[in-house]
Amino acid sequence: MKTKQSSVKVLDVTLTNNDDFVTFFDRNYIVFQNHLIVLHGESNAFIEKYLNDKKLNFMVNAEFKKARPTKEIQAQETQTPKELPKKEEPPVLEHKTKTTLKVLDKLVRSGQELNIESDLLLLNRVNSGGKININGNLIITEIVEGSIRCNGDFMMLKSSPKANIVFHEVEVDNKYLTERLNRVELKNNEITITPVLKETNWG
Amino acid sequence: MGIVIAVISGKGGVGKTTTTANVGVGIALNDKKCVVVDFDIGQRNLDMILGLENRVVFDMVQVMDGEVGLKQALIKSKISPNLSFLAASQTKDKSVLNSEKILKLINDLKADFDYVILDAPAGIETGYEHTIEFADRAIIVVNPEVSSIRDADRAIGILDSKSQKVKDGEEVFKYLIINRINPKMVKSGEMLSSEDILDILNIPLVGKIPEDTAIIDASNQGKPIILNKKSEAGQAYERIAGRLCGNEIDMQDVENPKSGILHKFKGMFK
């Protein structure tokens, strides 16, 4: 017998009407591509076809033993998950990020942790084991192998397969990042990733 | 005044002590006065690799405590009159070290020698911090594998924040040695290439050492591999020692050894 344990992220959805469901998933289906979507309530053929078309994994009326408190899950059912942190952010961003920019050409080595309130332009690598926590905007022109926690309006990164990147408490999957710089930003409560500088070679 | 070079790696077992011994011998053979100091208190090994284990009478801790004079504790190697050795204490542990005593010892050594080479203990604990505290330069030894690179990266981070030179606003100059390169595995992509390692660590390379089984025997016998002129690793250490003494020596491509007919022929008789 061959077994492999993989961790699965689960999104619980309680169905009320089809339109709400479609508007929510039209905006956010990219985020949930690696998730298992568990539908509660009465499922119907329309919703199942929609999920199949988007290539999302789903189950109907399954119960899981949840490690997370139910409160948080309820919040996710009704709102997009990104709305939660957003409430606290704006005051920090307003007066700090727009006035200061820090430029660093320093390797962030394993075990080093940068805690930054302003914006940061980093012209060097973040090595495995290094960490950046930032409340402003972030641009890194080299590869990242450590972890990034960014709560700014946007960040720009290259494809970084070994990195752990979290933007507004949502993990950014490397498969949406291209080799060149990508702009990751929060627009209308959803995270959009767009490649930038298509013609410019930064190499 | 001499130059203090700390040999560090972060991870254990990558070849710090072997490198210290060979680089020390190499520098001495380049006609520079050199002392190698074992800072791995409680776990000394350098005496064995240098073949001096039966000549250790006094150790570094006794010198620092003023029980014996420095001249008494220094052991002259038979390999070269330029090479001296100061043993670590095998019975004490790292807690006996303190900055004042170390500074005095290092200043005394700097007055007498051109090069003072310190063999750091593995890890990043106080023993390591004391080793790098007064170093002017550092040799970072890594193996081409991810855990060694990450540990070295961490060790460099500590070096850049805790050494006295950095606190004074200067920089500790760093050299990288990539040890145990297996050319076949690099070619097949199983082992990290030097370019990748240099990208990650971003410090200048001083030499690459191919994997060589003769090193084990050399260590057991107490004859540093650098004395074995036929060994590729020995030749690599010789070049490194030359570079550290300021000689311009071209980098050899140990990852792509020559594969001529003569070389293959030689390989058959190995």
PDB file of all heavy atoms in Angstrom, chain A residues 145-160:
ATOM      1  N   GLU A 145      13.470  33.337  -0.674  1.00  0.00           N
ATOM      2  CA  GLU A 145      13.369  31.955  -0.208  1.00  0.00           C
ATOM      3  C   GLU A 145      12.889  31.900   1.239  1.00  0.00           C
ATOM      4  O   GLU A 145      12.661  30.845   1.783  1.00  0.00           O
ATOM      5  CB  GLU A 145      14.720  31.239  -0.354  1.00  0.00           C
ATOM      6  CG  GLU A 145      15.097  31.060  -1.805  1.00  0.00           C
ATOM      7  CD  GLU A 145      16.297  30.177  -2.023  1.00  0.00           C
ATOM      8  OE1 GLU A 145      16.962  29.824  -1.033  1.00  0.00           O
ATOM      9  OE2 GLU A 145      16.562  29.856  -3.186  1.00  0.00           O
ATOM     10  N   GLY A 146      12.786  33.038   1.865  1.00  0.00           N
ATOM     11  CA  GLY A 146      12.336  33.089   3.252  1.00  0.00           C
ATOM     12  C   GLY A 146      10.851  33.369   3.304  1.00  0.00           C
ATOM     13  O   GLY A 146      10.100  32.974   2.426  1.00  0.00           O
ATOM     14  N   SER A 147      10.422  34.078   4.349  1.00  0.00           N
ATOM     15  CA  SER A 147       8.998  34.339   4.432  1.00  0.00           C
ATOM     16  C   SER A 147       8.707  35.831   4.474  1.00  0.00           C
ATOM     17  O   SER A 147       9.484  36.619   4.994  1.00  0.00           O
ATOM     18  CB  SER A 147       8.391  33.615   5.627  1.00  0.00           C
ATOM     19  OG  SER A 147       8.900  34.154   6.807  1.00  0.00           O
ATOM     20  N   ILE A 148       7.580  36.188   3.903  1.00  0.00           N
ATOM     21  CA  ILE A 148       7.161  37.588   3.778  1.00  0.00           C
ATOM     22  C   ILE A 148       5.763  37.717   4.367  1.00  0.00           C
ATOM     23  O   ILE A 148       4.888  36.906   4.066  1.00  0.00           O
ATOM     24  CB  ILE A 148       7.073  37.994   2.281  1.00  0.00           C
ATOM     25  CG1 ILE A 148       8.354  37.671   1.534  1.00  0.00           C
ATOM     26  CG2 ILE A 148       6.680  39.452   2.140  1.00  0.00           C
ATOM     27  CD1 ILE A 148       9.465  38.601   1.749  1.00  0.00           C
ATOM     28  N   ARG A 149       5.586  38.718   5.219  1.00  0.00           N
ATOM     29  CA  ARG A 149       4.238  39.059   5.690  1.00  0.00           C
ATOM     30  C   ARG A 149       4.024  40.510   5.323  1.00  0.00           C
ATOM     31  O   ARG A 149       4.655  41.387   5.889  1.00  0.00           O
ATOM     32  CB  ARG A 149       4.135  38.922   7.222  1.00  0.00           C
ATOM     33  CG  ARG A 149       4.412  37.533   7.752  1.00  0.00           C
ATOM     34  CD  ARG A 149       3.201  36.638   7.563  1.00  0.00           C
ATOM     35  NE  ARG A 149       3.480  35.277   7.976  1.00  0.00           N
ATOM     36  CZ  ARG A 149       4.097  34.369   7.233  1.00  0.00           C
ATOM     37  NH1 ARG A 149       4.529  34.686   6.022  1.00  0.00           N
ATOM     38  NH2 ARG A 149       4.318  33.156   7.679  1.00  0.00           N
ATOM     39  N   CYS A 150       3.164  40.758   4.362  1.00  0.00           N
ATOM     40  CA  CYS A 150       2.980  42.131   3.884  1.00  0.00           C
ATOM     41  C   CYS A 150       1.535  42.565   4.084  1.00  0.00           C
ATOM     42  O   CYS A 150       0.618  41.839   3.743  1.00  0.00           O
ATOM     43  CB  CYS A 150       3.382  42.236   2.414  1.00  0.00           C
ATOM     44  SG  CYS A 150       3.114  43.866   1.723  1.00  0.00           S
ATOM     45  N   ASN A 151       1.374  43.743   4.676  1.00  0.00           N
ATOM     46  CA  ASN A 151       0.022  44.274   4.864  1.00  0.00           C
ATOM     47  C   ASN A 151      -0.168  45.604   4.147  1.00  0.00           C
ATOM     48  O   ASN A 151      -1.019  46.395   4.514  1.00  0.00           O
ATOM     49  CB  ASN A 151      -0.270  44.452   6.361  1.00  0.00           C
ATOM     50  CG  ASN A 151      -0.434  43.114   7.052  1.00  0.00           C
ATOM     51  OD1 ASN A 151      -0.981  42.185   6.475  1.00  0.00           O
ATOM     52  ND2 ASN A 151       0.066  43.003   8.262  1.00  0.00           N
ATOM     53  N   GLY A 152       0.654  45.869   3.148  1.00  0.00           N
ATOM     54  CA  GLY A 152       0.557  47.141   2.437  1.00  0.00           C
ATOM     55  C   GLY A 152      -0.513  47.121   1.363  1.00  0.00           C
ATOM     56  O   GLY A 152      -1.299  46.181   1.252  1.00  0.00           O
ATOM     57  N   ASP A 153      -0.531  48.188   0.560  1.00  0.00           N
ATOM     58  CA  ASP A 153      -1.493  48.252  -0.542  1.00  0.00           C
ATOM     59  C   ASP A 153      -1.103  47.292  -1.652  1.00  0.00           C
ATOM     60  O   ASP A 153      -1.951  46.721  -2.318  1.00  0.00           O
ATOM     61  CB  ASP A 153      -1.546  49.673  -1.115  1.00  0.00           C
ATOM     62  CG  ASP A 153      -2.115  50.651  -0.115  1.00  0.00           C
ATOM     63  OD1 ASP A 153      -2.861  50.198   0.768  1.00  0.00           O
ATOM     64  OD2 ASP A 153      -1.806  51.851  -0.204  1.00  0.00           O
ATOM     65  N   PHE A 154       0.214  47.188  -1.881  1.00  0.00           N
ATOM     66  CA  PHE A 154       0.654  46.259  -2.929  1.00  0.00           C
ATOM     67  C   PHE A 154       2.051  45.744  -2.606  1.00  0.00           C
ATOM     68  O   PHE A 154       2.760  46.291  -1.765  1.00  0.00           O
ATOM     69  CB  PHE A 154       0.661  46.950  -4.297  1.00  0.00           C
ATOM     70  CG  PHE A 154       1.768  47.962  -4.454  1.00  0.00           C
ATOM     71  CD1 PHE A 154       3.027  47.573  -4.905  1.00  0.00           C
ATOM     72  CD2 PHE A 154       1.543  49.296  -4.150  1.00  0.00           C
ATOM     73  CE1 PHE A 154       4.044  48.501  -5.041  1.00  0.00           C
ATOM     74  CE2 PHE A 154       2.567  50.221  -4.278  1.00  0.00           C
ATOM     75  CZ  PHE A 154       3.811  49.825  -4.734  1.00  0.00           C
ATOM     76  N   MET A 155       2.437  44.690  -3.283  1.00  0.00           N
ATOM     77  CA  MET A 155       3.829  44.274  -3.250  1.00  0.00           C
ATOM     78  C   MET A 155       4.216  43.752  -4.625  1.00  0.00           C
ATOM     79  O   MET A 155       3.367  43.358  -5.417  1.00  0.00           O
ATOM     80  CB  MET A 155       4.069  43.229  -2.168  1.00  0.00           C
ATOM     81  CG  MET A 155       3.293  41.963  -2.278  1.00  0.00           C
ATOM     82  SD  MET A 155       3.753  40.854  -0.914  1.00  0.00           S
ATOM     83  CE  MET A 155       2.905  39.389  -1.433  1.00  0.00           C
ATOM     84  N   MET A 156       5.523  43.825  -4.914  1.00  0.00           N
ATOM     85  CA  MET A 156       6.006  43.340  -6.194  1.00  0.00           C
ATOM     86  C   MET A 156       7.093  42.316  -5.954  1.00  0.00           C
ATOM     87  O   MET A 156       8.035  42.555  -5.201  1.00  0.00           O
ATOM     88  CB  MET A 156       6.585  44.489  -7.016  1.00  0.00           C
ATOM     89  CG  MET A 156       5.546  45.359  -7.641  1.00  0.00           C
ATOM     90  SD  MET A 156       6.326  46.413  -8.845  1.00  0.00           S
ATOM     91  CE  MET A 156       5.033  47.566  -9.152  1.00  0.00           C
ATOM     92  N   LEU A 157       6.928  41.169  -6.594  1.00  0.00           N
ATOM     93  CA  LEU A 157       7.840  40.058  -6.347  1.00  0.00           C
ATOM     94  C   LEU A 157       8.105  39.302  -7.635  1.00  0.00           C
ATOM     95  O   LEU A 157       7.306  39.333  -8.560  1.00  0.00           O
ATOM     96  CB  LEU A 157       7.191  39.066  -5.374  1.00  0.00           C
ATOM     97  CG  LEU A 157       6.907  39.510  -3.964  1.00  0.00           C
ATOM     98  CD1 LEU A 157       5.998  38.506  -3.317  1.00  0.00           C
ATOM     99  CD2 LEU A 157       8.189  39.632  -3.173  1.00  0.00           C
ATOM    100  N   LYS A 158       9.228  38.594  -7.637  1.00  0.00           N
ATOM    101  CA  LYS A 158       9.481  37.646  -8.717  1.00  0.00           C
ATOM    102  C   LYS A 158       8.954  36.281  -8.295  1.00  0.00           C
ATOM    103  O   LYS A 158       8.655  36.067  -7.132  1.00  0.00           O
ATOM    104  CB  LYS A 158      10.994  37.509  -8.936  1.00  0.00           C
ATOM    105  CG  LYS A 158      11.610  38.637  -9.674  1.00  0.00           C
ATOM    106  CD  LYS A 158      13.107  38.556  -9.586  1.00  0.00           C
ATOM    107  CE  LYS A 158      13.714  37.679 -10.638  1.00  0.00           C
ATOM    108  NZ  LYS A 158      15.170  37.838 -10.728  1.00  0.00           N
ATOM    109  N   SER A 159       8.896  35.393  -9.241  1.00  0.00           N
ATOM    110  CA  SER A 159       8.527  34.026  -8.918  1.00  0.00           C
ATOM    111  C   SER A 159       9.514  33.458  -7.909  1.00  0.00           C
ATOM    112  O   SER A 159      10.720  33.547  -8.089  1.00  0.00           O
ATOM    113  CB  SER A 159       8.570  33.209 -10.208  1.00  0.00           C
ATOM    114  OG  SER A 159       8.492  31.857  -9.884  1.00  0.00           O
ATOM    115  N   SER A 160       9.019  32.909  -6.798  1.00  0.00           N
ATOM    116  CA  SER A 160       9.882  32.440  -5.730  1.00  0.00           C
ATOM    117  C   SER A 160       9.362  31.132  -5.180  1.00  0.00           C
ATOM    118  O   SER A 160       8.614  31.105  -4.212  1.00  0.00           O
ATOM    119  CB  SER A 160       9.931  33.472  -4.602  1.00  0.00           C
ATOM    120  OG  SER A 160      10.262  34.736  -5.101  1.00  0.00           O
TER     121      SER A 160
END
